[in-house]
Amino acid sequence: MENSQKMVTIYVMGKKQTVPADLTIMKAMEYAGFQFKRGSGCRGGFCGACATVYRKKGSYKLQGTLACQKIVEDGMILAQIPFSPQEKKIYNLNELKADA
C-alpha cells in the first residue's frame, strides 16, 4: 500500500522537520518528536498557552498564532513564545474582602 499523505517541511527552532501537511503546528511538533511539558494548555484555542511566532518561506514578516489552531504550511519557520503570563498574580483568598 502506497503512502500518499502529503508532507511539508517546517523549521522548529531552526531544525528542519518533515511532517504531514494536514496537522496543526502543535501536532506537527509532536509528530517530529517534541514533547510538551508546558505551553500546551487546553489544546482548544481558549487558553493561549501555545502562542507561537512564525514566518512564511520568503517573507520577513513575523506572524503570531496559536499552535493548536494553525495548520502547518510548507517552509514555515516556527518559534515558541515563552509561556504567559510571565508575571502571575498571586492572591491570598483569606486576605481578600468581598464587596458589592
Side-chain angles (χ1 to χ4, degrees), residues 20-97:
D22 61 349
L23 297 180
T24 63
I25 292 170
M26 184 176 282
K27 288 180 181 176
M29 289 176 67
E30 289 175 324
Y31 178 91
F34 291 87
Q35 292 182 339
F36 288 99
K37 295 192 168 125
R38 69 173 104 149
S40 60
C42 68
R43 295 182 179 252
F46 299 105
C47 72
C50 62
T52 301
V53 174
Y54 71 95
R55 285 188 311 121
K56 292 183 181 179
K57 187 176 184 177
S59 175
Y60 66 91
K61 293 183 181 181
L62 289 177
Q63 299 184 46
T65 192
L66 295 178
C68 69
Q69 299 294 299
K70 177 73 176 161
I71 302 296
V72 292
E73 299 176 29
D74 192 45
M76 189 178 256
I77 303 164
L78 306 165
Q80 294 300 111
I81 297 174
F83 60 92
S84 61
Q86 289 183 349
E87 293 182 29
K88 182 177 180 183
K89 183 71 173 162
I90 305 293
Y91 295 97
N92 184 339
L93 297 179
N94 295 326
E95 294 177 1
L96 294 176
K97 305 247 188 271

